[in-house]
Structures are given as C-alpha cells and as structure tokens.
C-alpha cells in the first residue's frame, strides 16, 4: 500500500487555540519521496491580526479579509488529510491547533498518525546550530522562498523530511537499530516511522562505509594519528620582503606591518631573551598569519608552539582557515591539534553503559540518539561539535571524560577512546591550540596537560583575565 505523507504548516493569530485562529493553511503531499500534490489557502480569522504576527508572516488583515472562513475549508482540509501520515515541524502545535479548529466547526478530530521533523532533525542532524525550520533550510541548502508562510514552510518541511530520510538510510544498520529502540519516547508515531526505515534497510542491506567500523556494537568513524615527518632540509626563515614574496607565491598578500610582526616574533624566540614580548597589533593587519608563519620555523612535536586563544571561534579560524592557507605554501606543513580539558570529550565506555540502562526521560533519549549519529561523524569526540549552548544535562555529566586513568583497559572501546587519541595526536603535532581557561589552570593540575615548550603565544592577551579561570 502506498504511503502518503501530508506535510502541514499553519499560521495563526497566536499560540492559544482556545482564543486564536488559523490565518493560513499549507499542505504538501509526498509519496515515494516526491511531491505529488499541494494545497494552500488564506483563512479569514474573523479577528484582528496583531502587528507582531503581520510582521512575522507578512499576512495582513487586508489580505485575509476576503479569504474563506475556516468553516468553509474545514471539510476540504479533513478530506485532504484522511488516510495520510501527518508531518509537521513541531507537530504538537500544528496537530493540536488544527484539531481544535476542526472540532469547533463540528468536524471529527484527526486520528491519523503523525511525525515530528523537529525531533527527527535533533536525532539525525545532531551538529546543527539551530533546529528552527528557517535555519535548517539555510544550512542544508533547502529552498525556502517565504519563511513563516504556510505554503512555503510546508514545502521546505517536505524537503527536510526527504533529506533526513536519505541521511537515515546512509547510517549503519547497527546505529539505526539502536536508535529505533530508543525512539519510543518520540512524539506520536515518529518512532514507527524510524522503525519502518530500519525495516527497509534490513530488506535492502548495504555494506558498511569504509570510513566506519563497528566496535562493541557501536558504529564509529575510524581515527588515525598522522605521523609528523620532519623534512630533510634546512628551514630558513624569510626575513626580507623579497624572501617573503618568493614564499607567498601570490597566495598571500605582502603586508608591511604583518611582516614586521613576523620578524619581531621570530627574533624574540631565537635570540634567547628571557623577557616576555607584548605586541599590540592593529586591526586588519593579519596578526594570526603574522605569528603562525614564524612559529612554523620553530615548532617541532618535541617543542611545539602553544597558541592560547580566547574563543572556540578563533580556534576554528586557525584550524579551518589560517593553517590550511599557510600549509598551501609551506614545504613542511603545520600539524595542529586543538586541546581542551578532558570533560569536553565523550567517554565511550561511559556512554555505552547508558545505552544498557532503561530510558530515563525524553530529552535524555533524544541526546543518546543524536550522539549515536554523531559518533559516525566525529574523529575528536569533542562535545563542542554538537553546538549545544550548555552541557549541564544529566546525560553529559554521566558520559563526559574523567581521564584516561579511569578507563578500563580490558574493555573493547579502550583502543577507540577519544582522549587517548587526542594525546597521541598531540605527540605528533608541532602546534597546539588551547584556550585561556586551559592555560590559566595548567599550574593547578596534578598532571600537566600541556607539554613543556619555550614557545607560547597568547592571542587576544587583553582577554586573559580572571574570567578565564572560570570557563573550564
């Protein structure tokens, strides 16, 4: 039997179905991951639309004045949705509000099954910064012509459902089977939908992706430690403008102030002076490249350059932009590792233990399912990849790392531990990137995390204040 998904969105005068009314209804029917039909209509709510709602939806009182009443379109909407599976982004609002309006008009309540794409996105797109429909559409490249209008929102929710289902089917079966078990806490029939995808995957098995491995019943992304291979040639620092231009190869722009900063830093670290160097760099001069280039000519895994930054954003800029740019012109590439305190990393052994316990509550299970997906993607195990504002939920307290000394060596996940992998990477890196909080607390640790090195660069040093001691 063909399954028809009715992807629905409504716009309303407010959030209370007892006093507010629907001003727009949009629906897209999907079969076999293709849109087969569309229906949308404005609705006269017979009450004023507030300025706030007008600004949000761009639906004015004038626009809905000649639109049909909900009573006029209720039979059409009911018949449209009959024998379908109702899908919405935050289904509790749309389904409940629509049912209230149908009942108000003397129509039967909807009894069709429902799926929530918010929860599906939280599970299968765990590293997204936001799960609002507009943000997801922008980040995933889904066309969204008119946000907060029912027809456009329904259309993009349909595209989101298709995208998520494709994502689900690319996951290892072992991951999907565990998610299906945990998904009993999800809204309405979302769990049944997940189970139906799992059943389809069982009937059409596909080989495990080469970048993945199954360890102790969990699918993990393979990790490797890139060995630092010292090039057998003498690295000569380009002190003059001519030497720098020859190195840049039109990939970097020569900047006089930046060049001056480079030379100051190089001389400071190579003259043997015991004094610290304080530099105020002007905005736009390219200070990051200004300290990275001379650092490259000094750094080794035995004596790495340690760079302390004020924020995760700056760390990501170093790893994803500045270092790759420099490596495009360097014969000996910079091998950099971001280092954080142990509680930033997932302990696989502790996480596996939570999967063997009964589900405690909905959000707990949603996080568990999202982490199972994330483990097929991450090579760091760094919770910051999940883009959560806070990690104070019980689950993260239970699964955050306590240190390698607390690991059970006999367990199969010991070799896959992310903190052990981090330390192995550090031993092969000539640049270590930390934050001010980590640096501030280094002297208080019983066991030092940062290796001894004569090369320390504190970026945004004016932010190195008492607050840094409280951010770990």
């Amino acid at each position: 039997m063909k399954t028809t998904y009715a992807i629905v969105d409504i716009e309303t005068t407010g959030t209370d179905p007892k006093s507010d009314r629907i001003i727009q209804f949009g629906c897209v029917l999907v079969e076999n991951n293709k849109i087969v039909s569309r229906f949308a209509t404005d609705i006269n709510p017979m009450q004023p639309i507030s300025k706030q709602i007008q600004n949000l939806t761009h639906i004015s009182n004038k626009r809905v004045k000649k639109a049909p009443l909900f009573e006029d379109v209720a039979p059409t909407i009911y018949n449209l949705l009959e024998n379908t599976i109702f899908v919405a982004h935050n289904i509790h609002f749309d389904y409940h509000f629509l049912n209230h309006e149908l009942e108000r008009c003397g129509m039967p309540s909807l009894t069709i099954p429902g799926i929530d794409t918010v929860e599906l996105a939280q599970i299968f797109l765990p590293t997204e910064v936001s799960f609002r429909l507009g943000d997801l559409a922008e980040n995933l490249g889904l066309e969204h012509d008119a946000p907060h209008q029912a027809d456009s929102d329904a259309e993009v929710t349909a595209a989101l459902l298709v995208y998520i289902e494709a994502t689900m089917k690319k996951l290892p079966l072992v991951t999907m089977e565990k998610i299906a078990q945990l998904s009993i806490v999800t809204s309405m029939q979302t769990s049944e939908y997940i189970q139906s995808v799992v059943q389809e995957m069982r009937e059409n098995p596909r080989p495990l992706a080469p970048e993945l491995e199954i360890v102790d019943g969990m699918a993990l992304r393979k990790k490797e430690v890139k060995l630092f291979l010292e090039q057998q040639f003498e690295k000569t620092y380009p002190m003059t403008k001519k030497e720098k231009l020859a190195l840049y190869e039109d990939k970097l722009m020569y900047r006089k102030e930046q060049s001056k900063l480079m030379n100051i830093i190089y001389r400071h670290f190579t003259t043997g002076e015991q004094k610290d160097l304080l530099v105020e760099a002007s905005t736009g001069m390219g200070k990051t490249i200004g300290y990275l280039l001379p650092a490259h000519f000094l750094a080794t895994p035995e004596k790495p350059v340690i760079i302390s930054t004020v924020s995760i954003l700056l760390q990501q800029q170093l790893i994803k932009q500045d270092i790759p740019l420099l490596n495009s012109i360097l014969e000996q590439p910079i091998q950099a590792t971001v280092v954080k305190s142990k509680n930033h990393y997932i302990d696989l052994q502790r996480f596996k233990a939570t999967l063997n316990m009964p589900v405690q509550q909905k959000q707990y299970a949603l996080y568990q399912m999202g982490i199972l997906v994330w483990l097929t993607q991450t090579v760091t195990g760094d919770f910051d990849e999940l883009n959560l504002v806070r990690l104070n939920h019980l689950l993260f307290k239970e699964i955050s790392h306590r240190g390698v000394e607390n690991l059970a060596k006999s367990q199969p996940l010991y070799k896959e531990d992310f903190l052990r992998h981090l330390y192995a990477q550090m031993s092969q890196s000539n640049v270590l990137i930390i934050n001010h909080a980590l640096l501030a607390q280094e002297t208080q640790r019983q066991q030092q995390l940062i290796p001894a090195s004569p090369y320390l660069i504190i970026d945004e040093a004016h932010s190195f204040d008492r607050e840094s001691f409280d951010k770990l």
Side-chain angles (χ1 to χ4, degrees):
M1 183 177 176
K2 190 183 298 181
T3 300
T4 303
Y5 296 98
I7 292 82
V8 175
D9 187 79
I10 59 174
E11 302 300 330
T12 63
T13 58
T15 58
D16 186 356
K18 293 180 181 178
S19 57
D20 293 306
R21 294 289 178 264
I22 295 173
I23 58 176
Q24 197 176 61
F25 173 88
C27 179
V28 174
L29 298 183
V30 172
E31 295 175 358
N32 296 323
N33 290 329
K34 292 182 180 179
I35 295 174
V36 295
S37 182
R38 295 174 174 86
F39 175 78
T41 181
D42 292 340
I43 295 171
N44 188 341
M46 296 299 289
Q47 62 178 246
I49 304 173
S50 69
K51 286 290 184 183
Q52 180 184 2
I53 297 298
Q54 290 186 61
N55 291 335
L56 179 68
T57 63
H58 302 291
I59 302 171
S60 65
N61 287 300
K62 182 180 179 180
R63 174 171 167 174
V64 300
K65 190 174 182 180
K66 294 183 179 180
L69 303 179
F70 187 82
E71 289 88 331
D72 299 328
V73 295
T76 301
I77 291 174
Y78 185 85
N79 291 332
L80 178 72
L81 298 177
E82 195 173 16
N83 299 320
T84 68
I85 297 177
F86 192 107
V87 181
H89 204 66
N90 185 13
I91 194 169
H92 291 292
F93 176 77
D94 297 83
Y95 199 98
H96 177 60
F97 206 112
L98 194 58
N99 253 348
H100 193 278
E101 283 290 83
L102 288 170
E103 292 168 4
R104 183 180 64 81
C105 299
M107 296 290 297
S109 298
L110 293 173
T111 57
I112 56 176
I115 298 170
D116 187 5
T117 53
V118 171
E119 291 179 7
L120 287 175
Q122 290 173 335
I123 295 168
F124 295 104
L125 307 173
T127 59
E128 287 296 317
V129 176
S130 165
F131 296 104
R132 293 188 300 183
L133 185 60
D135 294 333
L136 286 170
E138 182 177 353
N139 290 343
L140 300 176
L142 306 178
E143 190 173 341
H144 198 192
D145 296 331
H148 298 291
Q149 292 210 10
D151 53 351
S152 180
D153 282 359
E155 192 95 14
V156 78
T157 304
L160 177 62
L161 179 67
V162 171
Y163 182 93
I164 290 175
E165 184 169 317
T167 301
M168 294 163 72
K169 290 178 179 178
K170 291 177 185 176
L171 289 168
L173 181 59
V174 66
T175 299
M176 284 298 298
E177 287 178 332
K178 191 61 185 178
I179 288 173
Q181 293 174 16
L182 295 168
S183 69
I184 56 172
V185 300
T186 55
S187 298
M188 297 185 67
Q189 283 71 44
T190 304
S191 178
E192 283 88 333
Y193 169 67
I194 293 173
Q195 291 172 30
S196 71
V197 174
V198 171
Q199 183 58 36
E200 185 178 340
M201 292 172 67
R202 288 190 184 117
E203 294 170 358
N204 302 280
R206 54 192 297 175
L208 186 69
E211 68 273 13
L212 299 177
E213 60 182 344
I214 308 296
V215 182
D216 200 22
M218 285 198 303
L220 305 173
R221 196 169 193 88
K222 294 177 182 176
K223 303 182 288 292
E224 64 174 356
V225 177
K226 186 179 179 181
L227 298 179
F228 187 88
L229 301 175
E230 187 76 45
Q231 300 289 347
Q232 298 302 313
F233 60 84
E234 185 177 350
K235 294 186 291 186
T236 304
Y237 173 73
M239 189 68 71
T240 67
K241 178 179 179 180
K242 182 179 179 181
E243 291 170 330
K244 288 186 175 68
L245 286 172
L247 176 65
Y248 291 174
E249 298 178 338
D250 296 327
K251 294 182 181 179
L252 283 180
M253 180 186 298
Y254 178 84
R255 298 175 182 176
K256 184 177 179 180
E257 290 300 311
Q258 185 189 65
S259 176
K260 185 178 178 181
L261 173 63
M262 290 175 178
N263 293 348
I264 289 172
I265 291 175
Y266 186 77
R267 288 194 186 102
H268 172 74
F269 282 132
T270 54
T271 55
E273 293 183 7
Q274 297 301 310
K275 293 182 180 180
D276 295 329
L277 173 65
L278 181 64
V279 179
E280 184 176 357
S282 58
T283 303
M285 70 168 290
K287 68 174 174 61
T288 308
I289 297 294
Y291 64 67
L292 273 175
L293 184 66
H296 156 72
F297 287 88
L298 304 165
T300 66
E302 292 73 31
K303 293 182 179 180
V305 170
I306 296 159
I307 301 172
S308 181
T309 68
V310 70
S311 68
I312 293 174
L313 187 64
L314 285 172
Q315 291 180 347
Q316 291 303 310
Q317 179 186 318
L318 280 163
I319 289 291
K320 294 184 178 181
Q321 297 178 32
D322 299 319
I323 290 175
L325 176 59
L326 269 183
N327 281 346
S328 70
I329 64 172
L330 298 174
E331 293 185 74
Q332 172 76 59
I334 295 172
Q335 284 187 210
T337 296
V338 175
V339 182
K340 300 178 183 179
S341 58
K342 59 181 181 291
N343 56 294
H344 282 266
Y345 302 93
I346 185 172
D347 184 326
L348 288 172
Q349 291 182 5
R350 300 181 77 196
F351 175 65
K352 180 65 190 302
T354 70
L355 298 177
N356 299 326
M357 294 160 41
V359 174
Q360 299 182 29
Q361 45 116 326
K362 183 173 184 175
Q363 188 57 62
Y364 190 101
L366 284 173
Y367 281 142
Q368 284 180 310
M369 290 183 279
I371 288 171
L372 283 168
V373 174
W374 174 58
L375 289 176
T376 67
Q377 304 166 358
T378 183
V379 293
T380 69
D382 180 356
F383 287 133
D384 286 331
E385 293 177 1
L386 295 173
N387 291 307
L388 298 171
V389 177
R390 295 179 182 174
L391 292 170
N392 57 1
H393 189 273
L394 173 63
L395 175 66
F396 294 100
K397 293 178 181 178
E398 290 181 348
I399 66 175
S400 63
H401 220 297
R402 298 171 297 172
V404 294
E405 65 277 8
N406 292 294
L407 296 175
K409 294 183 180 180
S410 59
Q411 294 227 356
L413 290 165
Y414 177 78
K415 291 182 179 180
E416 306 303 322
D417 182 72
F418 286 106
L419 202 56
R420 294 182 70 249
H421 179 69
L422 171 69
Y423 295 159
Q425 277 190 309
M426 289 172 64
S427 70
Q428 297 295 322
S429 300
N430 59 344
V431 171
L432 301 179
I433 302 169
I434 63 175
N435 63 22
H436 294 349
L438 189 70
L439 179 62
Q441 295 200 1
E442 181 66 5
T443 58
Q444 302 175 31
R445 303 181 205 282
Q446 292 183 349
Q447 186 174 358
Q448 301 299 293
L449 175 60
I450 305 169
S453 174
Y455 309 124
L456 171 64
I457 297 172
I458 303 178
D459 196 349
E460 303 279 358
H462 60 278
S463 300
F464 194 81
D465 52 23
R466 184 166 293 277
E467 289 183 11
S468 299
F469 289 81
D470 301 323
K471 290 180 180 178
L472 249 179

